[in-house]
Amino acid sequence: MRIVLLLTISLSLLSSALATAADPVRLRVLCYNIHHAEGVDRQLDLDRIARVIKSVEPDLVALQEVDQNAARTRSIDQPAELARLTGMHVAFGPNIELQGGHYGNAVLSRFPIKSHKNHLLPNRDNGEQRGVLVTELQVDGLAEPLVLLATHFDHRPDHRERVASAQAINELVINESRPTLVAGDLNDVIESDTLKLLQTVWQPTNNDPLATIPVDNPTRQIDFILFKRQQSWTAATTRVLEEATASDHRAIFAELEYRPEQ
């Protein structure tokens, strides 16, 4: 009887452990082009941007058009200040020098940022230098770091630089087996060559377009959250935030699940 009881307890504990191992990691991800915190009302208001971010209680945030110590935004270190206002960790990827400071992309994370590296993207015809910030995050429930890329592609009508940037990002993660996400203002739509190339490696969290611009009456989606294909990701929901004053883009938000392999 004692042996049977011990065996029953052992099987119960094993079953519980296996169930726990299979539980998905749930993540709330926000992507937001903040227009250096200048709203459509022409007011510079970083507190307002922080309130938009906090409104959805995100775990991870990819930000574009972020100033660091630039004169036009009162020489404020916007990444550091947003980290303070939201209570999150931060990494910044400077792409250009601007008015005594820098301008680029940033990542906010509820989880510790183990490492980060900024990569400059291909530049054609002396356009604005673009980049992708690659961060490694120690996420609760994951045995290895999660990789989040934050980026912002060229805005000009000629799509060749955007396509080159998409190819560069695909190549960055070609051998990446860890859970991987990319989010940013891609300045192109779901049917474009840019997105078609990205989708050879990545899957957008939404299948049908969710318009993010123009902010007052959105008609096009150019802001995206994507996860790496052939990984155990599921997008539970994706939506565009209603706030339409703080920036010239609306933010896009997704609730994701990642199931670690047993």
Side-chain angles (χ1 to χ4, degrees):
M1 182 68 179
R2 180 181 175 83
I3 294 174
V4 172
L5 179 60
L6 288 173
L7 180 60
T8 301
I9 293 172
S10 298
L11 289 172
S12 176
L13 290 173
L14 177 61
S15 176
S16 176
L18 289 173
T20 300
D23 286 346
V25 174
R26 294 177 173 85
L27 293 171
R28 300 168 65 85
V29 183
L30 183 71
C31 178
Y32 196 15
N33 181 327
I34 68 169
H35 193 237
H36 58 267
E38 182 181 332
V40 293
D41 57 2
R42 298 187 179 181
Q43 298 299 310
L44 189 65
D45 193 339
L46 204 59
D47 287 343
R48 182 167 58 183
I49 294 293
R51 289 194 296 273
V52 176
I53 293 170
K54 291 193 295 182
S55 71
V56 292
E57 300 180 335
D59 299 306
L60 309 173
V61 185
L63 300 174
Q64 303 85 49
E65 296 196 18
V66 184
D67 281 6
Q68 184 185 58
N69 304 323
R72 70 174 178 182
T73 46
R74 304 169 189 161
S75 299
I76 292 171
D77 185 338
Q78 289 191 338
E81 184 64 5
L82 284 171
R84 185 187 71 81
L85 291 168
T86 60
M88 302 177 82
H89 303 279
V90 68
F92 178 63
N95 296 322
I96 62 172
E97 294 183 358
L98 178 68
Q99 299 177 359
H102 293 89
Y103 170 81
N105 303 306
V107 164
L108 296 171
S109 172
R110 185 169 66 83
F111 307 102
I113 299 175
K114 290 179 61 67
S115 69
H116 67 276
K117 182 176 181 180
N118 197 52
H119 300 261
L120 297 182
L121 291 171
N123 186 295
R124 297 184 67 95
D125 303 322
N126 297 313
E128 178 185 313
Q129 180 62 61
R130 307 288 176 156
V132 55
L133 174 62
V134 181
T135 58
E136 295 184 354
L137 313 170
Q138 191 59 62
V139 174
D140 296 343
L142 294 180
E144 53 189 354
L146 179 145
V147 181
L148 171 62
L149 291 75
T151 194
H152 185 188
F153 286 2
D154 182 59
H155 70 285
R156 292 170 295 178
D158 185 339
H159 70 182
R160 288 179 298 166
E161 184 178 307
R162 289 189 293 279
V163 170
S165 293
Q167 183 62 39
I169 283 179
N170 286 354
E171 290 173 359
L172 271 177
V173 301
I174 192 167
N175 295 317
E176 185 58 75
S177 60
R178 296 173 297 180
T180 308
L181 302 169
V182 61
D185 173 0
L186 304 182
N187 268 312
D188 230 333
V189 295
I190 196 73
E191 302 88 0
S192 66
D193 289 344
T194 304
L195 269 295
K196 288 177 181 176
L197 180 56
L198 283 171
Q199 286 182 90
T200 63
V201 175
W202 308 90
Q203 172 65 46
T205 59
N206 57 296
N207 293 318
D208 297 321
L210 296 170
T212 57
I213 65 160
V215 69
D216 58 340
N217 185 26
T219 57
R220 293 189 301 140
Q221 180 181 1
I222 64 172
D223 304 274
F224 291 88
I225 300 167
L226 308 95
F227 52 81
K228 196 165 187 281
R229 289 184 180 275
Q230 299 178 337
Q231 293 185 342
S232 302
W233 288 103
T234 303
T237 61
T238 304
R239 62 185 174 91
V240 174
L241 304 193
E242 294 295 325
E243 208 290 331
T245 306
S247 173
D248 62 351
H249 285 237
R250 294 198 186 193
I252 189 165
F253 171 72
E255 295 180 88
L256 306 179
E257 291 186 351
Y258 179 81
R259 190 173 294 278
E261 295 183 4
Q262 298 183 33

